[in-house]
Amino acid sequence: MPIKVSRKEKSSKFLGLVVNKTVFLGATLVLIGSIIFTLVFQQEADYYFGIAQSYVSAHGGWIYTLTANLFIIFGLYMALGKFGKIRLGGKNSKPEFSIWAWFAMLFSAGIGNGLVLFSIADPVRDFLNPPRLAGEEPALIAQEAINFSFLHHGIHGWAIYSVVGLSLAYFTFNRKMPLTLRSVFYPLLGNRIYGWMGDVIDIMAVITTLFGLATTIGFGVGQINSGLTHVFGIPSSLFYQIIIIVAVTLAATLSAFSGVNKGVQMLSKLNVRVASAIFIIVLLLGPTTFILKSYIQNIGSYLTNFVDMATWTEALRGTDWQKTRTIMYWGWWISWSPFVGTFIARISRGRTIREFILCVLILPALVTFLWFSAFGGITMRDILLGDTAMIAAVNDNISTALYVFFDKFPLAMVLKVLGVVLISSFIITSADSGALVVDSITSGGKLKTPPFQRVIWAVATGVIAGVLMYGGGLNALQTAVTISGLPFAILLGMMCFSLHSGMKEDYEQNEREQKLLERETYRKNILQLVDKEREARSQNTKNEPTLTDNKQ
């Protein structure tokens, strides 16, 4: 049995809402204050955020690099070691969702529109501005550009998500604690997680989640608008982008109202189906053999150079390429981890730790590599053959790169429409799943709350994105979210230690209880054998002939 913990109910009624008032009000005030500061003092925000980003990259980049790699090692240790057979929710727990629905939801929440936004832009940018091979053969530069795209969008990011998701799932389903970030630190802080320390942790999680979602929606809306321009000739302007935000927010609100089992699951499956349709069309109408060959080659090159790239810190070069690439991505993944980790935990009851880690760590990365090999690989091939159209598209606006890429194919219009649908669906899924996560955190970790509470957070996400886009504060906010990843990296390191301590404690207690049970069972079996032996002797004694019988 799991170790029992002392818990205090922090949820209460407030303005008709079931919330932890400290977390709810604290997060709301910080959100409002941050938005006002970003809008009113936009130039100052850009300036100071830029200074902070440079300082974090120069002096804290090694922390990002170290922790990102340690998360992979820790995840594999948990999956392949003695804890791997533990089932989230207990040994008799059954998965709430099918493997297909589960993968679709974790993939949609974790990938988002970054899959289609950066699969072309990142290889092109890293080809034009090589991290390490400037002046070398173009083919080698192109291959390393793909390798670094794999690094930034592959196993490392999903290792971060898996650590947070596993920690939350274990303490929620196995120790019966609230589904909030504070619960994970119980082995370290004890009942202090129900005081101001826990409130600060949860407020940080809410702020990071909402700002991360708002920036994603803001940049995703630009890509949707670019798609509508290519397909229907609708101008790309702030007016239409605000309308798109309203439409996305409305759809996310309806989905969030219906909950995980309906809206989120349905949209997640739609994401996977539309993405699969786009990929199959590109595969069949494009250079099929090249895509499959490059997929194998790219994975091989990525694995061959994995340790070198993953531990490279520019120590001897004195350049700042990593500031806008690797460090930015590690900060971005870590900043999103409270949101995605909480959502993955929410949908993972009944999975074993081994199944959870290996699926979350490997499956989405393999799909991402296949997508990047097709879109980024074809782009690199065409550039090496002298076609500079994609370079011009990326330099002009990375949001339009996907649609320029589709112009290479016979069914270009169909692909563009599907692209708009996919990006829209990804953003809606992120917004509604984010609303579910924030609602869970602000309600004190409750898995079920009144539907209108989720609606509030879905609307809030859209409002934040719209206001910041109108005021031009998204770039500053993106930088701020990246910077906030550094303290979270340290916090996640503590989370790993806390999870291991709690799991080890439970495992050892279960081992002791199992041994006591085995001893008790052994003792009962021995007593039963002794009793049977006594009965047998007694029966034999009764059946033995007496002396009188022998004389007769």
Side-chain angles (χ1 to χ4, degrees):
M1 297 290 293
I3 303 293
K4 292 184 178 180
V5 296
S6 174
R7 296 189 298 275
K8 299 177 183 178
E9 181 60 61
K10 296 283 290 185
S11 301
S12 60
K13 288 283 187 178
F14 177 71
L15 299 177
L17 305 174
V18 181
V19 295
N20 178 331
K21 287 193 290 186
T22 304
V23 175
F24 179 83
L25 292 175
T28 302
L29 291 175
V30 173
L31 281 169
I32 294 174
S34 299
I35 292 172
I36 292 175
F37 173 77
T38 303
L39 293 180
V40 176
F41 304 101
Q42 182 185 342
Q43 291 183 347
E44 291 84 352
D46 286 336
Y47 175 73
Y48 287 113
F49 285 156
I51 292 177
Q53 185 186 33
S54 298
Y55 186 84
V56 166
S57 300
H59 301 284
W62 66 272
I63 298 177
Y64 276 127
T65 301
L66 179 63
T67 53
N69 288 294
L70 288 178
F71 294 144
I72 296 178
I73 297 172
F74 179 78
L76 292 176
Y77 165 75
M78 298 300 290
L80 303 178
K82 62 184 180 180
F83 302 131
K85 294 182 180 180
I86 296 175
R87 191 171 293 277
L88 298 174
K91 62 181 180 180
N92 297 321
S93 180
K94 302 295 182 183
E96 184 178 359
F97 303 98
S98 67
I99 189 70
W100 154 244
W102 180 61
F103 174 75
M105 286 190 285
L106 73 89
F107 181 80
S108 297
I111 290 293
N113 65 310
L115 182 71
V116 290
L117 183 62
F118 298 115
S119 58
I120 295 173
D122 273 9
V124 171
R125 290 188 295 184
D126 293 345
F127 178 82
L128 298 176
N129 180 26
R132 305 186 297 185
L133 299 179
E136 296 289 338
E137 182 184 347
L140 295 177
I141 299 176
Q143 183 63 67
E144 183 163 79
I146 295 291
N147 291 347
F148 270 97
S149 293
F150 278 22
L151 179 74
H152 297 151
H153 298 274
I155 294 174
H156 281 84
W158 286 98
I160 296 169
Y161 288 168
S162 67
V163 166
V164 179
L166 176 62
S167 301
L168 287 164
Y170 183 80
F171 282 92
T172 299
F173 299 132
N174 293 65
R175 285 206 174 188
K176 312 302 180 185
M177 300 182 72
L179 182 60
T180 64
L181 212 62
R182 71 173 73 197
S183 297
V184 178
F185 296 93
Y186 186 84
L188 296 181
L189 301 177
N191 285 332
R192 284 174 292 181
I193 66 169
Y194 300 109
W196 68 268
M197 291 183 181
D199 291 337
V200 170
I201 291 172
D202 282 348
I203 289 173
M204 287 177 62
V206 171
I207 298 301
T208 305
T209 296
L210 287 176
F211 280 169
L213 287 172
T215 52
T216 298
I217 290 174
F219 290 112
V221 162
Q223 199 173 18
I224 294 174
N225 199 173
S226 297
L228 294 177
T229 301
H230 275 259
V231 177
F232 302 108
I234 296 176
S236 182
S237 65
L238 179 63
F239 173 76
Y240 287 104
Q241 290 175 6
I242 295 297
I243 291 178
I244 294 170
I245 287 180
V246 172
V248 166
T249 302
L250 178 61
T253 300
L254 294 175
S255 179
F257 185 85
S258 64
V260 176
N261 291 302
K262 294 181 181 179
V264 177
Q265 184 176 177
M266 180 188 70
L267 282 172
S268 298
K269 290 181 177 179
L270 175 64
N271 292 339
V272 174
R273 287 174 179 142
V274 175
S276 299
I278 292 175
F279 176 78
I280 290 172
I281 293 174
V282 171
L283 179 66
L284 296 179
L285 298 182
T288 306
T289 302
F290 170 80
I291 292 173
L292 298 177
K293 286 171 61 178
S294 64
Y295 182 51
I296 297 172
Q297 176 176 305
N298 292 337
I299 290 180
S301 182
Y302 165 70
L303 294 176
T304 300
N305 297 280
F306 181 83
V307 175
D308 180 37
M309 292 190 301
T311 57
W312 181 59
T313 60
E314 291 183 303
L316 299 178
R317 296 177 65 90
T319 55
D320 59 355
W321 180 88
Q322 286 189 319
K323 180 177 73 174
T324 57
R325 290 291 189 275
T326 306
I327 301 305
M328 185 275 291
Y329 274 116
W330 292 169
W332 193 252
W333 283 94
I334 290 171
S335 297
W336 259 55
S337 62
F339 153 51
V340 181
T342 303
F343 182 74
I344 294 175
R346 168 68 181 83
I347 62 175
S348 297
R349 183 199 295 267
R351 306 289 173 188
T352 65
I353 290 178
R354 180 169 295 119
E355 177 186 14
F356 178 94
I357 291 292
L358 295 182
C359 287
V360 174
L361 194 64
I362 296 174
L363 291 183
L366 289 177
V367 174
T368 301
F369 295 164
L370 183 60
W371 186 280
F372 270 77
S373 293
F375 289 77
I378 292 174
T379 300
M380 288 294 98
R381 185 202 63 168
D382 291 349
I383 290 175
L384 292 176
L385 293 175
D387 185 353
T388 60
M390 295 310 303
I391 292 179
V394 171
N395 286 336
D396 179 51
N397 183 358
I398 63 172
S399 295
T400 64
L402 178 70
Y403 306 106
V404 174
F405 176 84
F406 285 151
D407 283 331
K408 300 174 181 289
F409 296 87
L411 298 177
M413 189 59 66
V414 173
L415 286 169
K416 289 177 181 179
V417 172
L418 289 175
V420 173
V421 172
L422 179 61
I423 298 165
S424 302
S425 184
F426 267 139
I427 293 176
I428 294 169
T429 305
S430 297
D432 62 11
S433 54
L436 292 169
V437 167
V438 173
D439 180 46
S440 175
I441 297 173
T442 55
S443 66
K446 292 185 177 297
L447 296 179
K448 293 184 179 180
T449 57
F452 68 88
Q453 289 190 199
R454 301 192 293 271
V455 170
I456 291 175
W457 292 114
V459 172
T461 304
V463 170
I464 294 170
V467 170
L468 290 173
M469 179 170 286
Y470 177 78
L474 278 174
N475 289 326
L477 185 55
Q478 183 189 29
T479 306
V481 171
T482 303
I483 295 169
S484 70
L486 185 60
F488 252 103
I490 300 172
L491 198 66
L492 295 188
M494 296 171 59
M495 180 182 294
C496 292
F497 180 78
S498 182
L499 173 63
H500 183 266
S501 298
M503 197 172 291
K504 180 182 178 182
E505 185 181 7
D506 292 347
Y507 185 86
E508 290 177 350
Q509 176 168 320
N510 288 333
E511 287 284 294
R512 289 192 295 268
E513 292 178 352
Q514 185 64 33
K515 288 181 179 179
L516 289 174
L517 180 61
E518 290 175 356
R519 289 176 182 175
E520 181 64 22
T521 303
Y522 178 75
R523 189 183 69 83
K524 289 181 179 180
N525 290 338
I526 293 297
L527 290 176
Q528 289 178 355
L529 290 174
V530 171
D531 290 341
K532 288 181 180 179
E533 181 67 20
R534 287 175 178 173
E535 290 178 4
R537 288 180 180 179
S538 176
Q539 189 66 30
N540 290 337
T541 301
K542 291 181 180 179
N543 293 334
E544 286 180 358
T546 63
L547 181 60
T548 306
D549 293 335
N550 291 335
K551 288 181 178 180
Q552 292 178 351

